[in-house]
Amino acid sequence: LVQYAYDIGLKGITLTDHEGIIGHIKAWKYFLNMQNDNDFKLALGNEIYLMSEQAYQDNVEIKGQNPYYHFILTALDDVGHKQIRMLSDRAWQRAKSVKGLMRRPTYYTDLEDIIVEQGHLIASSACLGSELDNLILLWKQGDDKYKQNIHNFITWCIEIFGKDNFYLEIQPCYADNNEQRIVNQTMWMLSEAYGLKII
């Protein structure tokens, strides 16, 4: 993957497996030894499952249906990578099988505890499996209470990561993908309203 990204002329690539960072070791070793005449960058990250502690306990104890929201973290430096490792360690220590799937949640409080120093991680809102995307879709279905939830989530992310290190994510969209189209359009609006960059 790293070599292919380089070969097709990308300026860099980020490795963000779903709550798994073991691939960082092999990717980094490869990156350090590859021919690199183009200042190609490799970033290391993690796609965590972000939720509250109560939501996870409900899923485990009473077979709740709370979503395991996707959220992307990317290290900017060694301190950021240490923060990712610490977060991943917590998530794996509480891993449980829920409905036949191994679930490894990261709690909002984990981010508040570990990211006490900003500027070492980039966060992005992630895909249609994210909390922000789901809030947008609920809001656009006509329930205005979700507008406040969107505001609360965005301001919380800014507080944790800093305005310059929290990005709103959009993705490619086919004409018949109505949900992605709605999210993409709304992200541009939120970008302007909150002064956030799009990724």
Side-chain angles (χ1 to χ4, degrees):
L1 178 68
V2 174
Q3 187 63 53
Y4 180 71
Y6 178 84
D7 290 344
I8 65 172
L10 297 182
K11 294 181 179 178
I13 192 167
T14 305
L15 182 65
T16 56
D17 292 333
H18 279 257
E19 189 41 75
I21 59 173
I22 191 67
H24 291 187
I25 298 168
K26 186 174 181 181
W28 192 252
K29 284 181 179 177
Y30 187 87
F31 172 74
L32 291 177
N33 292 305
M34 68 185 283
Q35 178 183 349
N36 189 353
D37 299 324
N38 302 325
D39 197 28
F40 178 83
K41 304 278 194 253
L42 172 63
L44 302 174
N46 196 9
E47 184 161 2
I48 64 174
Y49 298 105
L50 185 61
M51 64 193 316
S52 71
E53 184 172 355
Q54 186 60 56
Y56 183 54
Q57 291 308 316
D58 287 348
N59 282 358
V60 171
E61 293 168 12
I62 59 174
K63 308 302 181 204
Q65 299 294 321
N66 298 311
Y68 293 84
Y69 288 123
H70 301 195
F71 195 75
I72 306 282
L73 301 174
T74 303
L76 289 169
D77 54 25
D78 290 341
V79 173
H81 197 261
K82 182 178 181 181
Q83 291 171 340
I84 285 176
R85 294 194 310 271
M86 291 170 69
L87 290 164
S88 185
D89 184 58
R90 284 195 187 186
W92 277 89
Q93 284 189 42
R94 63 176 67 107
K96 284 187 175 52
S97 178
V98 179
K99 295 184 178 179
L101 295 172
M102 187 59 69
R103 295 299 192 176
R104 305 165 301 275
T106 297
Y107 299 149
Y108 299 105
T109 52
D110 292 333
L111 295 172
E112 292 165 359
D113 290 346
I114 290 172
I115 306 172
V116 292
E117 185 180 349
Q118 293 180 352
H120 303 286
L121 285 178
I122 287 175
S124 64
S125 58
C127 59
L128 288 176
S130 71
E131 181 171 5
L132 184 56
D133 286 30
N134 278 266
L135 290 171
I136 287 170
L137 292 171
L138 289 167
W139 173 42
K140 292 300 183 174
Q141 289 173 5
D143 194 335
D144 271 350
K145 74 178 180 186
Y146 291 105
K147 188 173 184 181
Q148 184 62 46
N149 296 64
I150 290 168
H151 171 76
N152 293 346
F153 183 78
I154 289 175
T155 53
W156 179 81
C157 288
I158 291 171
E159 182 180 323
I160 296 297
F161 299 100
K163 194 170 190 178
D164 291 336
N165 289 323
F166 175 58
Y167 289 76
L168 302 175
E169 182 175 322
I170 62 173
Q171 295 202 1
C173 180
Y174 294 104
D176 61 348
N177 189 341
N178 195 44
E179 288 187 342
Q180 190 66 62
R181 181 180 53 78
I182 290 169
V183 166
N184 286 356
Q185 290 172 347
T186 307
M187 287 297 190
W188 285 107
M189 183 189 72
L190 294 173
S191 170
E192 186 174 336
Y194 289 91
L196 296 170
K197 293 176 232 174
I198 294 285
I199 193 169

